Amino acid sequence: VPIAVRHIESMMRMAEAHAKMHLREHVRDDDMDAAVRMMLNSFIHAQKFSVRRALERSFRKFISSTEDRAHLLLHILQEMFRKEQMYQTIRLRQRNETEEALGVLEVPVDDLESRARERRIYNVHEFCRSSAFAEAGYQLNEGRGLISRIIS
């Protein structure tokens, strides 16, 4: 794909605009990713259908969707709850209680945010309001800053 200096400058301006829309003074990785994604989508959708499909396959890794991020965040959250359940089970066994006493598990939203930042995802609140989050049985308590899940 041929790219000129003016394309790079355009992507830089789009990244800056994306950062400003999120009330930030500095451009982050996700701002640049959004600019690249917009530029690629624009270029790809200007092509003929047969060429468009080939280009979409070639650039698939650069055009990530919200669903991809939600899937990744869901996987991270499941891992966090698995570890929390193991920890709580060990605590219950040390106190000679059964695992049936384990009703609700909770993990801090801050922990999910920090793990998401490691994977360059900076907004988890959008995910916490998604249908995928609710369908997986998770609940967000914004007042306490916790994500909870009932164990059955």
Side-chain angles (χ1 to χ4, degrees):
V1 177
I3 189 165
V5 173
R6 63 187 304 182
H7 294 116
I8 295 171
E9 291 172 344
S10 295
M11 285 192 295
M12 289 171 52
R13 284 192 299 276
M14 285 191 287
E16 289 171 352
H18 190 266
K20 287 179 183 177
M21 284 190 323
H22 289 80
L23 305 174
R24 291 190 302 270
E25 293 183 24
H26 302 286
V27 175
R28 296 189 315 204
D29 289 345
D30 61 329
D31 299 319
M32 200 64 207
D33 290 344
V36 169
R37 194 169 40 256
M38 282 185 273
M39 185 67 88
L40 279 173
N41 277 329
S42 175
F43 175 75
I44 289 170
H45 289 289
Q47 306 302 314
K48 294 179 185 177
F49 185 74
S50 59
V51 175
R52 183 185 312 168
R53 285 196 350 225
L55 287 172
E56 284 174 341
R57 277 194 303 271
S58 298
F59 291 107
R60 185 172 297 153
K61 67 180 179 180
F62 299 107
I63 305 173
S64 64
S65 68
T66 305
E67 290 176 15
D68 295 337
R69 289 191 176 134
H71 184 71
L72 178 59
L73 287 171
L74 194 57
H75 177 74
I76 293 168
L77 196 55
Q78 288 170 342
E79 180 184 326
M80 291 172 65
F81 270 90
R82 213 173 6 256
K83 288 180 180 179
E84 180 65 19
Q85 185 172 7
M86 285 176 29
Y87 171 73
Q88 293 298 337
T89 301
I90 291 168
R91 282 189 55 209
L92 287 171
R93 286 181 184 166
Q94 287 175 343
R95 291 188 273 167
N96 294 325
E97 296 179 32
T98 64
E99 293 178 28
E100 295 168 359
L102 196 60
V104 176
L105 291 176
E106 298 176 330
V107 297
V109 176
D110 292 343
D111 289 355
L112 176 62
E113 288 175 339
S114 67
R115 297 227 178 131
R117 271 193 303 274
E118 291 171 2
R119 290 162 180 86
R120 294 174 28 188
I121 300 173
Y122 299 100
N123 185 3
V124 298
H125 291 286
E126 184 179 309
F127 163 71
C128 291
R129 293 183 186 94
S130 72
S131 60
F133 180 83
E135 288 170 6
Y138 298 109
Q139 295 177 340
L140 175 65
N141 185 332
E142 290 186 54
R144 294 178 54 211
L146 294 172
I147 299 172
S148 60
R149 184 173 187 192
I150 297 172
I151 302 301
S152 49

